[in-house]
């Protein structure tokens, strides 16, 4: 049985998931947006940042998202931003399929992460990810434009948003350009925590 296709992002209260410039990805706003995840024990262990960290529902959600993912898909912008920032053992530990026009051999990293570069569109990348995931779920890792492409193509089954108590004012909006005439949502649940609010939705055709 094929796994679900999902995305999971942190979002500011005014709807942004990233700063406008990749050069600002580790800037103050980004750090505030992601501040709920940095202290979590599973996150720290996965990135080999040392022992310790918080446990609780936030930590459980980080771990559950990782454990359900059998393969990831991302766009070239996200890959370019992370290529020099990720450690030699990146946090994915699964095959990652990069939607790009660049022709490039697979990039093998430590810990089970191999980046595959797909030149023939989002559906081909998803098909390859499904095969690699071996029945587990496929995560559309980002960035915002890639997530939007999959949403508008009707290829997303569900998604989660960690709604962070921060305002960006500008940047990459999650739903900028959504075809609202084709996409309908169902609220599955909302879980507040001391640091964020976790929202979960199903997606269906309108």
């Amino acid at each position: 049985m094929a796994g679900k296709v999902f995305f999971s992002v942190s979002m500011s209260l005014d709807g942004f998931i990233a700063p406008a410039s990749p050069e600002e990805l580790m800037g103050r706003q980004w750090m505030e947006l992601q501040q709920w995840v940095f202290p979590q024990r599973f996150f720290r262990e996965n990135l080999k940042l040392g022992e310790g960290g918080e446990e609780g529902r936030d930590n459980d959600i980080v771990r559950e998202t990782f454990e359900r993912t059998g393969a990831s898909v991302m766009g070239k912008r996200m890959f370019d931003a992370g290529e020099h920032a990720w450690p030699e053992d990146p946090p994915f530990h699964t095959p990652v399929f990069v939607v790009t026009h660049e022709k490039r051999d697979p990039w093998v990293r430590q810990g089970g992460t191999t980046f595959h570069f797909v030149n023939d569109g989002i559906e081909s990348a998803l098909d390859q990810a499904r095969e690699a995931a071996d029945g587990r779920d496929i995560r559309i890792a980002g960035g915002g434009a890639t997530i939007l492409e999959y949403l508008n193509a009707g290829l997303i089954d569900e998604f989660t948003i960690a709604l962070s108590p921060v305002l960006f004012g500008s940047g990459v909006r999650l739903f900028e350009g959504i075809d609202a005439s084709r996409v309908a949502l169902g609220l599955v649940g909302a879980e507040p925590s001391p640091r964020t609010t976790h929202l979960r939705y199903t997606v269906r055709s309108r």
Side-chain angles (χ1 to χ4, degrees), residues 13-125:
L13 281 172
D14 51 348
F16 297 98
I17 60 171
S21 170
E23 286 74 31
E24 299 173 4
L25 258 185
M26 297 306 291
R28 177 186 59 81
Q29 284 183 319
W30 173 259
M31 299 299 284
E32 290 179 356
L33 181 69
Q34 302 291 350
Q35 66 180 343
W36 73 273
V37 75
F38 293 134
Q40 304 310 317
R41 183 183 185 95
F42 185 86
F43 178 84
R44 292 181 55 79
E45 290 175 349
N46 193 32
L47 282 176
K48 297 181 171 57
L49 298 177
E51 298 181 355
E54 297 180 3
E55 298 187 35
R57 186 60 186 140
D58 285 343
N59 187 64
D60 291 344
I61 287 172
V62 176
R63 185 185 67 253
E64 289 163 4
T65 302
F66 175 85
E67 290 177 347
R68 70 182 289 193
T69 303
S72 296
V73 177
M74 70 176 58
K76 183 64 161 48
R77 184 178 187 269
M78 181 177 179
F79 174 79
D80 285 346
E83 182 175 9
H84 303 294
W86 292 314
E88 291 187 12
D89 184 357
F92 303 98
H93 306 295
T94 67
V96 179
F97 296 86
V98 182
V99 182
T100 177
H101 296 296
E102 179 186 10
K103 295 187 182 298
R104 179 171 169 177
D105 292 333
W107 188 37
V108 181
R109 309 301 285 159
Q110 296 178 9
T113 301
T114 298
F115 293 91
H116 302 270
F117 300 89
V118 182
N119 306 128
D120 51 351
I122 63 171
E123 293 193 20
S124 176

Side-chain angles (χ1 to χ4, degrees), residues 157-161 163 184-192 197-204:
D157 297 310
E158 61 185 45
F159 64 88
T160 60
I161 292 172
L163 194 60
L185 307 179
L187 178 63
V188 176
E191 278 188 84
T197 300
H198 299 280
L199 306 173
R200 183 176 178 184
Y201 297 88
T202 56
V203 184
R204 66 183 187 277

